[in-house]
Amino acid sequence: MKLVLNPSYCQLRNFVQKLPISFPTLGDCIYKARNVLRKFSYEGQWYVVKNYKVPLFINRIAYTFFRPSKASRAYEYALRLRSMGIETPAPVAYIELKSGGLLQHSFFVSENCSYPRMMREFEEGGIAGREDILDAFAAFTVDLHKKGVLHLDYSAGNILFDRREGSVVFSIVSENVFGQFQSILPGRVGRAICRRRVCPFTRVGRGCFHRGGSAGAQGVLGQDRAKRCFEMSPEETPFSKMRGNS
């Protein structure tokens, strides 16, 4: 068993080591589909454990020898996001278990995000009276772009938010975040990438919050807010030098 524990959570080592056995009866199941998420309380703090589905055989080979596992990426990406000042639940640990020399089971543990609302609520009911949330979301997305973050699963169910001290705050709760950082570029190429990959439900003309991040749902953000999410001048991006400021 491979266990990587955040040094800030050394007190949880014995507990985390037992997760492969205790997981099926741990706390409350909050999501069950391809992967399973369970929420639990330990010494007054709430945590979430994600148990990843056993990969296909070819992927077991890939995750063992050629690329990091999903649990490993979830842990490392969370550390990276937080170091950039982007809110996401604090990563606690990840575990990898092998069978026959190949990765079989993996777990990712994080603190629980206390924000009670998802952007998914905009899939129905209109936006009247909630325009300020969308304005704040557009600004949050622009901030991601300026920091060079390419979110590969920027769907409404992976963005939590709340009102805190008069402001709207957001947290990303998916580990499928980074692609090639240099993919966010100024100019027409960058806008095309952004429409397709970075914020698929904020497209100009047919911007939408919808399941799966594909086109075809009702527009919500509106053209002005959507434009702000990806129309950045070269000096506003961290990648202008890669294209000679063209």
Side-chain angles (χ1 to χ4, degrees):
M1 181 177 78
K2 178 181 179 179
L3 167 61
V4 174
L5 182 68
N6 189 325
S8 299
Y9 298 90
C10 290
Q11 72 278 10
L12 294 176
R13 176 173 294 276
N14 290 337
F15 181 83
V16 172
Q17 286 177 330
K18 299 175 183 177
L19 277 178
I21 297 174
S22 64
F23 180 81
T25 59
L26 182 70
D28 300 317
C29 182
I30 57 176
Y31 180 83
K32 187 174 184 179
R34 181 177 57 183
N35 306 312
V36 181
L37 277 73
R38 301 190 72 91
K39 177 180 174 182
F40 67 96
S41 176
Y42 185 79
E43 296 184 350
Q45 173 66 50
W46 285 96
Y47 300 92
V48 172
V49 183
K50 186 172 187 176
N51 180 17
Y52 294 89
K53 180 181 178 180
V54 176
L56 298 174
F57 181 75
I58 188 66
N59 289 333
R60 292 180 63 195
I61 295 175
Y63 288 139
T64 301
F65 299 108
F66 303 110
R67 61 182 302 190
S69 69
K70 289 184 176 181
S72 172
R73 281 181 286 160
Y75 180 85
E76 296 296 337
Y77 290 168
L79 289 175
R80 195 169 182 180
L81 283 172
R82 291 172 68 86
S83 72
M84 299 167 70
I86 299 169
E87 187 165 351
T88 191
V92 175
Y94 74 89
I95 296 172
E96 296 175 351
L97 298 173
K98 293 181 179 180
S99 177
L102 300 177
L103 178 71
Q104 183 169 22
H105 296 286
S106 57
F107 301 82
F108 170 60
V109 187
S110 70
E111 287 194 1
N112 178 62
C113 178
S114 62
Y115 296 171
R117 301 170 69 179
M118 287 185 182
M119 293 304 290
R120 185 172 286 161
E121 71 179 57
F122 286 93
E123 292 176 350
E124 300 177 355
I127 66 172
R130 298 184 290 176
E131 293 87 350
D132 64 320
I133 296 174
L134 297 184
D135 286 334
F137 175 69
F140 174 75
T141 302
V142 168
D143 184 58
L144 293 183
H145 296 184
K146 287 182 176 179
K147 291 174 178 176
V149 174
L150 175 62
H151 198 302
L152 302 182
D153 195 10
Y154 206 45
S155 61
N158 287 331
I159 304 164
L160 303 182
F161 71 96
D162 196 11
R163 295 183 185 273
R164 299 286 172 96
E165 299 180 355
S167 301
V168 182
V169 289
F170 298 87
S171 180
I172 297 174
V173 293
S174 171
E175 77 283 351
N176 194 19
V177 176
F178 297 111
Q180 298 298 317
F181 270 51
Q182 62 268 28
S183 292
I184 304 178
L185 302 171
R188 187 173 301 172
V189 173
R191 290 197 294 273
I193 291 173
C194 186
R195 286 182 182 138
R196 184 176 72 253
R197 301 293 296 277
V198 181
C199 46
F201 49 72
T202 58
R203 302 181 187 184
V204 168
R206 56 177 181 179
C208 49
F209 290 87
H210 56 87
R211 296 179 179 86
S214 58
Q218 298 297 316
V220 175
L221 258 184
Q223 185 165 334
D224 290 340
R225 293 188 184 93
K227 281 184 177 179
R228 284 166 47 198
C229 288
F230 56 78
E231 289 191 347
M232 296 182 290
S233 62
E235 61 270 17
E236 290 182 296
T237 76
F239 308 106
S240 56
K241 293 182 180 179
M242 295 181 182
R243 304 180 73 234
N245 290 313
S246 61

